[in-house]
Amino acid sequence: MRRRLAAVVVVAGLAALAGCGGGDGTSTSSSTPKAAKLSLGFSAWPGWFPWQVAEEKGIFDKHGLNVDLKYFESYTDSLNALATGNIDGNSQTLNDTISSVSGGSKQSIVLVNDNSTGNDQIIAAAEIATVESLRGKKVGVEEGTVDHYLLLLGLQRAGMTPADVDLQPLLTDAAAAAFASGQLDAVGAFAPFTDTARGRPGSKVLFSSADFPGAIPDHLVMDSTFVQERPGDVQKLVDAWFDTLGYIAANPDESIAIMAKRAGVDVAAYRDYDAGTTIFSLAENVEAFAPGNDQKHLDFAARQIATFLVDSKLVDTAPDLTGLLNPTFVTARAAAG
């Protein structure tokens, strides 16, 4: 499972999202009494740090939400917390959600936070010029993560299989350090560990998530029973998200400072990672939930990932994806204008 420990945010382009919600974080539900507690998990990734802004600027409160926001140092722990019912919702990747569903967890995707568009990378030593050159080479990656998935996608495109490389299962930070010190021929990593890996002289990015648009989307995922029992609170949470994007667009410096503090980095470092993730607007959310025949559409992407996970033996059987995608709350927000 992915351990998203990146200190990343997308600021460029957020101004265009201001129309998704009130720039001051206000909402028509501001007078609604607080509901029962809602526990929401997130970890360090650009599409998820806005939740910290929502909490600190009182946007949850303005929607009448009683959110217990839980920050997980380990992304894997957040996945396990949702799968075992210890939290009501979590921000996580599509492939990790499908993996959880294949294991029996009942989860519903209600919002697209972002797409990884370059922050996940396969980095190789100077002498490795092509993906085909990885044949027989030591490649370090954290098994079951989205970077493992990215590696498999790249191998497949090159007509290769996992058996064609000497896969070295390591935690992402350890894999990046091992590659930087010359112990591996290539590594799969995400920012900021990509910086560690690229510190090796002559190293290069063979391919990244930018080469596979739509392959690594991130979502707000809710426990399916919670969605059925408390749809009003799910709607408020989705509305609060878009209002938060509006607040960030209107108050970028203040918002960046909040997110950088949560990430444990300075503002300058935080800004350096802004190109590798694309935050989804309301219109892009509506498009993503609509049926389609390419990676822009979640139904297509989910089927592709489910098949790929089975073929790559990352899960035993393809999960039932019925009810996984719930566009109700995004479409309601769009209809509200």
Side-chain angles (χ1 to χ4, degrees):
M1 303 301 177
R2 183 171 195 163
R3 300 188 310 128
R4 283 199 187 272
L5 303 178
V8 194
V9 72
V10 174
V11 177
L14 275 177
L17 302 181
C20 296
D24 61 354
T26 58
S27 163
T28 55
S29 58
S30 60
S31 61
T32 305
K34 277 192 175 181
K37 185 175 291 185
L38 184 166
S39 54
L40 174 63
F42 76 118
S43 49
W45 183 250
W48 306 338
F49 278 115
W51 292 126
Q52 189 69 33
V53 177
E55 180 177 62
E56 295 194 22
K57 301 312 299 181
I59 297 173
F60 292 139
D61 293 338
K62 291 175 181 176
H63 281 268
L65 287 166
N66 184 7
V67 174
D68 178 16
L69 188 64
K70 296 178 179 292
Y71 181 77
F72 289 84
E73 295 289 348
S74 165
Y75 170 60
T76 301
D77 288 347
S78 76
L79 294 173
N80 292 336
L82 182 61
T84 56
N86 287 314
I87 55 176
D88 301 312
N90 190 46
S91 281
Q92 56 193 54
T93 68
L94 178 56
N95 68 308
D96 287 327
T97 301
I98 292 175
S99 293
S100 293
V101 170
S102 73
S105 182
K106 302 299 183 183
Q107 301 181 3
S108 298
I109 294 172
V110 299
L111 171 74
V112 182
N113 299 125
D114 68 272
N115 261 343
S116 175
T117 49
N119 275 333
D120 294 278
Q121 302 173 355
I122 304 301
I123 301 166
E127 64 272 16
I128 297 176
T130 64
V131 177
E132 289 80 2
S133 300
L134 289 175
R135 195 177 301 274
K137 302 296 185 181
K138 291 183 178 180
V139 182
V141 71
E142 187 170 348
E143 286 189 299
T145 66
V146 289
D147 295 301
H148 185 191
Y149 176 55
L150 177 63
L151 172 65
L152 299 180
L153 286 175
L155 292 176
Q156 183 186 61
R157 179 175 286 182
M160 299 167 64
T161 72
D164 290 321
V165 301
D166 182 3
L167 191 68
Q168 302 289 307
L170 295 166
L171 296 180
T172 301
D173 52 353
F179 173 77
S181 65
Q183 300 174 54
L184 299 170
D185 301 300
V187 66
F190 54 90
F193 301 119
T194 48
D195 289 346
T196 300
R198 291 198 304 266
R200 177 171 170 173
S203 61
K204 65 175 74 67
V205 178
L206 275 186
F207 57 91
S208 75
S209 51
D211 297 302
F212 296 91
I216 307 178
D218 298 309
H219 308 282
L220 170 59
V221 183
M222 305 296 296
D223 175 82
S224 294
T225 299
F226 185 93
V227 174
Q228 293 167 5
E229 294 179 349
R230 295 172 60 181
D233 284 338
V234 178
Q235 185 65 63
K236 291 175 185 177
L237 189 59
V238 170
D239 289 344
W241 170 263
F242 288 114
D243 282 358
T244 301
L245 295 187
Y247 185 90
I248 293 171
N251 304 274
D253 292 340
E254 178 190 19
S255 300
I256 291 167
I258 290 171
M259 294 186 283
K261 181 179 179 181
R262 174 69 275 180
V265 299
D266 61 37
V267 169
Y270 206 83
R271 292 180 185 273
D272 284 343
Y273 295 104
D274 67 351
T277 301
T278 300
I279 302 288
F280 266 40
S281 67
L282 178 58
E284 288 168 328
N285 262 269
V286 171
E287 180 184 20
F289 276 103
N293 295 311
D294 58 39
Q295 292 281 5
K296 289 183 179 180
H297 301 275
L298 294 179
D299 63 333
F300 178 88
R303 291 192 302 270
Q304 292 290 104
I305 289 174
T307 299
F308 202 90
L309 291 175
V310 172
D311 291 346
S312 303
K313 304 188 187 310
L314 295 177
V315 299
D316 294 329
T317 58
D320 181 3
L321 301 180
T322 303
L324 174 66
L325 305 176
N326 190 332
T328 303
F329 309 100
V330 165
T331 54
R333 171 70 183 207

